[in-house]
Structure formats: structure tokens, C-alpha cells
Amino acid sequence: MLSAQHASHPSHPPPPSSSTGEDVASKVDDTDVLVDISMLREIAKRALVDALNSVNGAKTVVLDPSLAGPLGLVTEVALLKQHGVDKMFWLEKGPLNATTTNIVYLCRPQIRLMKIVAGTVLEEEGVFGELTISSYKLEFIPLEDDLVSLEWETTFKEIFLDGDESAVYYAAQALITMQQAYGLFPRIIGKGDAAKKLASLLLHLRAYPTYPSQINDPNLSTPSNLFDSLVIVDRSSDMITPLMTQLTYEGLMDEYYGIKNSHVELDASMINPPSTAGASQPAGGSSSGAGLAVTPATAPKKKKQHLTSATDGLYSQLRDTNFA
């Protein structure tokens, strides 16, 4: 994340923010039966708040569209406004109609996005000398109480097609953060070349911490009582599974409607069925055509629904049920 007095621009990715170490310091109660992964959401939220607070005064946020979904799982617009965000725009080519002195560009560390910021926006605004570059660490995002994700959809393409292994580094840093919260993984096993690289990098980062918050952290020297193993599977070692039809209720939802960032887009009528109070045919009078339903000419409106077991008891029971 970058901030500047007239414009800010993206940072070189995922290194953790300085505040993250303090957030991770509190360790989960080892007596809990389940791992409380909501801590990871709080870490990401507080790191974002610290990043925004580092830019004094009102600010305009220019957001990479691919981050909208992941950020929506860790924070809400109201919180951003509480910390000085006046308006938000998508990061795209073209002039920016910002009314604030401070502009914060929040985006993935990708060349095409840097070109938009540096080439299109900053040159037009003429603020190269008033630019501050910093990083915001958005790592594992809890999707359910037993599932976390980096929500980085292009990882496979970047590693195996583009030859860009940055995602391996980011995954390693995310796992270091997780160990800061819960203790060391007592055992690491894996399958595949990329899995070996990730495991090796993880051990290297344990021995040679990258960030001050990781130095002398007691949790990075104490085996976890919550985890007994970390199993890493390189997707290239199993290319068939993604091509198979999913046979769980949640998998069926994904196959038919498509799940993205824990949300599914459905017809509004499926989420909030229209009232049938006035649909009955009036008594008396002519009935010619009076009871016929009129099909609207416009396409039905779509609405996003958040799929979560936390608020939907039925979904929590059906989610992993095999229907075959």
C-alpha cells in the first residue's frame, strides 16, 4: 500500500506491517478443542487500520478490484470511513476525480497495476516526489471455522506458466504468521516440487526472520499443541481432482452457481421471495386474464449471498454432506 500527499501508490507486496507482530503476540488457549482461526481475521483487520492511520487526514482509497472480495471478508466500509476514508474508486486507467489531498492506492504487487499507478495516475498528477510506499499484509483469510485461504486466484498460473514463484514466498510468510499465533508446526510433510520449495523457505524463515516482530517470538520456538502436522500438496502432483464433479452440497453450489470469496450470486427472488399477498384473484367480476402472471421483460436482478456456517445453521449441517 502506498500513500502520498497528493497520491500514493502500491507497495511491494506482502511483507507484514509493523503492527502485525503485536497482533499475533496473543496466543490461542491451547485447551480449546477447535482452533480459533478468527484471530487471523483480526490480524488482517488491525493491520489495515494501522496502514490507513499512517496517512493523516481524510483520504481517497483507490482499490484493486481483485481485492474487493478478500477485503470484504475481513472488514467493512463503515470501519474504513471511521479511519478517514472519504471515497473509494476502482484502480483503472483514466483520470481520478479525488477531492482529498491524500490518495491511497491499495493493490496487488503486479506489474500491470504498477503501470496504471505510475504511468497513468502519478504522471498526470505530477507527484512523484510526494510518494510513500508501504505494505499491507493480507494473508490467510478465514472462510469458515475450518478453512482459510489466501484468496489469490492466479497462483497456479503465476508459478507454472509465468515462472513467478512470489506466491510461494507469500504462502510461507502467511504460515509464519499462523505459527506466531498458534506455535510451530511439529512436523512438515509435502508432495511436489513447489511443496518442497515452500517447506524449505518456511524453515529458512524460521531460522532467519524477515521482520522484527518475528525475532525472539516465543511461539516461533515452541511446538504447537493445536497442530501436529502441516501437509503441503503441490497442485501439479494432482491435476485430475479439479476436473472432477464435486459431490458435496457446497461443491454443488459452486458447480452450479459459482462461489467466489465465500459469496454466491443468485436471483434476488431466490433470497427474498416476493410476497404473494396481492396475487390472489379478486372475488367477482370478470376473470378473463385476471389471474395470469406477467413475465417481466427485464432480466431478474442478481444479489450476492454470503455462505457461512456461522449464521446459517442448515448450511453448516449440509455444507460437507456427500449427496452421491
Side-chain angles (χ1 to χ4, degrees), residues 279-301:
S280 58
Q281 181 177 336
S286 174
S287 62
S288 58
L292 297 178
V294 178
T295 303
T298 58
K301 292 183 179 180

Side-chain angles (χ1 to χ4, degrees), residues 260-323:
K260 186 173 183 179
N261 305 132
S262 287
H263 286 74
V264 61
E265 195 172 71
L266 305 169
D267 291 345
S269 60
M270 295 178 64
I271 301 175
N272 297 311
S275 173
T276 58
S280 58
Q281 181 177 336
S286 174
S287 62
S288 58
L292 297 178
V294 178
T295 303
T298 58
K301 292 183 179 180
K302 297 288 186 178
K303 186 175 181 180
K304 287 187 176 181
Q305 175 76 6
H306 186 194
L307 296 177
T308 172
S309 301
T311 57
D312 190 332
L314 180 60
Y315 179 69
S316 66
Q317 296 177 37
L318 296 178
R319 175 181 158 227
D320 296 324
T321 301
N322 189 302
F323 61 83

Side-chain angles (χ1 to χ4, degrees), residues 179 183-190 199 202-203 206 223-224 227-232:
Q179 291 177 104
L184 291 178
F185 299 117
R187 182 176 64 152
I188 300 176
I189 57 177
L202 190 56
L203 294 176
R206 280 184 183 179
S224 173
F227 299 101
D228 59 13
S229 299
L230 169 65
V231 181
I232 307 172

Side-chain angles (χ1 to χ4, degrees), residues 156 159-160 190-196 232-239:
F156 186 82
I159 294 177
F160 296 100
K191 182 176 179 59
D193 292 340
K196 182 178 180 180
I232 307 172
V233 180
D234 181 346
R235 172 48 65 202
S236 66
S237 66
D238 176 20
M239 301 291 285

Side-chain angles (χ1 to χ4, degrees), residues 92-103:
E92 55 189 6
K93 294 181 179 180
L96 180 65
N97 298 319
T99 57
T100 61
T101 302
N102 299 307
I103 303 176

